[in-house]
Amino acid sequence: MRRGVIRVGTSGWNYEGWKAHFYRGVPRRRWLAHAAETFGALEINGSFYVQIARETYRRWRDETPDDTRFAVKGHRFVTHYKRLRDVDRSVALLRDQARGLGDKLDVVLWQLPANLQADARRLREFLRALRRWRGVRHAIELRHRSWFTDEVADLLRHAKVASCLSDAPDFPLWREVTADFVYVRLHGHTRKYRSRYAASHLRRWADDARAWSREGRDVYV
């Protein structure tokens, strides 16, 4: 059986707090290239907040090594304003923009609001909309425990959409694997976006990643 590829990256790369250490001596115009040379994958977080031009995606593709892979975060208009309803045109818009990344785009991540409770009909409608965007993988970050059911897992498996494994102190973690890949977001185990991970925690995540890889699943952390 083919072993899955494990890619470890970061959610974004344009952080002022990294300037004195990770980017020391690196001009800002090379921050993306430097991050891409260090990590196996990069998550584009800005696409959650703003519309990014196809030309910008194309420039990011051209500035990074051939083996770089990106994840694009779905726009909050789809997840937080429309709350997954009537989003066909919005999904298609992001699809057309993100095509600028070419074959460097691996995953599209859809992050749901923490107060959006389970609604199987709403989820089915959204999964139908994702059919308009073939050729990439989709992951969905479910932040309310009511989604953690067999029915939801079956819907995701049928659609080949991954349930994102999200570690954070203020919303629950669902360790359900629903696709041929696994997408993990480590937000901070004790303080969101601010706490370090102990070496023992990282070893456990590394062991999990290797186990999923042995099952033939690609892994993004």
Side-chain angles (χ1 to χ4, degrees):
M1 176 185 290
R2 163 193 174 274
R3 279 195 176 232
V5 176
I6 300 173
R7 295 184 181 275
V8 177
T10 61
S11 179
W13 60 86
N14 194 26
Y15 296 111
E16 286 295 328
W18 297 6
K19 185 175 181 180
H21 302 283
F22 182 63
Y23 291 129
R24 181 178 296 170
V26 180
R28 185 180 294 271
R29 59 184 170 75
R30 289 208 70 256
W31 280 12
L32 170 58
H34 182 72
E37 290 162 1
T38 305
F39 299 106
L42 294 170
E43 185 181 281
I44 298 172
N45 193 52
S47 52
F48 179 74
Y49 300 100
V50 298
Q51 301 289 345
I52 298 175
R54 186 168 179 167
E55 293 73 22
T56 300
Y57 285 117
R58 187 178 295 116
R59 175 166 53 81
W60 291 343
R61 178 198 66 193
D62 294 342
E63 290 178 357
T64 51
D66 291 343
D67 60 351
T68 300
R69 293 298 179 265
F70 287 97
V72 168
K73 193 171 174 183
H75 199 284
R76 60 183 173 178
F77 182 77
V78 172
T79 55
H80 288 58
Y81 292 90
K82 300 293 285 186
R83 296 168 81 87
L84 308 184
R85 283 269 171 82
D86 188 27
V87 296
D88 294 65
R89 291 178 64 183
S90 299
V91 169
L93 174 62
L94 181 59
R95 175 199 65 197
D96 294 343
Q97 292 167 341
R99 277 178 174 162
L101 291 171
D103 61 5
K104 291 185 178 182
L105 174 60
D106 267 14
V107 181
V108 184
L109 170 70
W110 305 93
Q111 174 191 301
L112 298 195
N115 64 355
L116 180 59
Q117 298 189 30
D119 183 333
R121 184 175 179 180
R122 189 186 300 262
L123 178 60
R124 287 191 188 94
E125 183 178 333
F126 177 61
L127 294 175
R128 282 196 296 270
L130 294 186
R131 295 175 190 169
R132 299 171 64 93
W133 195 345
R134 300 185 184 277
V136 299
R137 291 161 157 172
H138 294 273
I140 186 167
E141 188 174 45
L142 305 165
R143 292 188 167 188
H144 195 281
R145 191 179 298 276
S146 61
W147 291 99
F148 302 173
T149 67
D150 290 342
E151 180 185 18
V152 169
D154 288 343
L155 287 172
L156 295 180
R157 286 194 182 95
H158 181 74
K160 300 180 180 179
V161 171
S163 173
C164 175
L165 279 67
S166 297
D167 185 49
D170 57 346
F171 52 83
L173 168 64
W174 194 29
R175 297 186 61 88
E176 193 76 19
V177 175
T178 60
D180 64 350
F181 73 104
V182 180
Y183 199 96
V184 179
R185 301 185 89 202
L186 303 180
H187 297 285
H189 189 67
T190 54
R191 289 190 301 161
K192 191 162 67 175
Y193 312 141
R194 292 186 178 277
S195 61
R196 295 182 177 184
Y197 278 85
S200 58
H201 284 175
L202 294 179
R203 280 194 294 270
R204 284 197 292 271
W205 281 111
D207 289 343
D208 288 340
R210 284 189 286 266
W212 292 318
S213 172
R214 287 193 294 270
E215 295 171 357
R217 306 179 199 272
D218 293 333
V219 183
Y220 303 82
V221 182

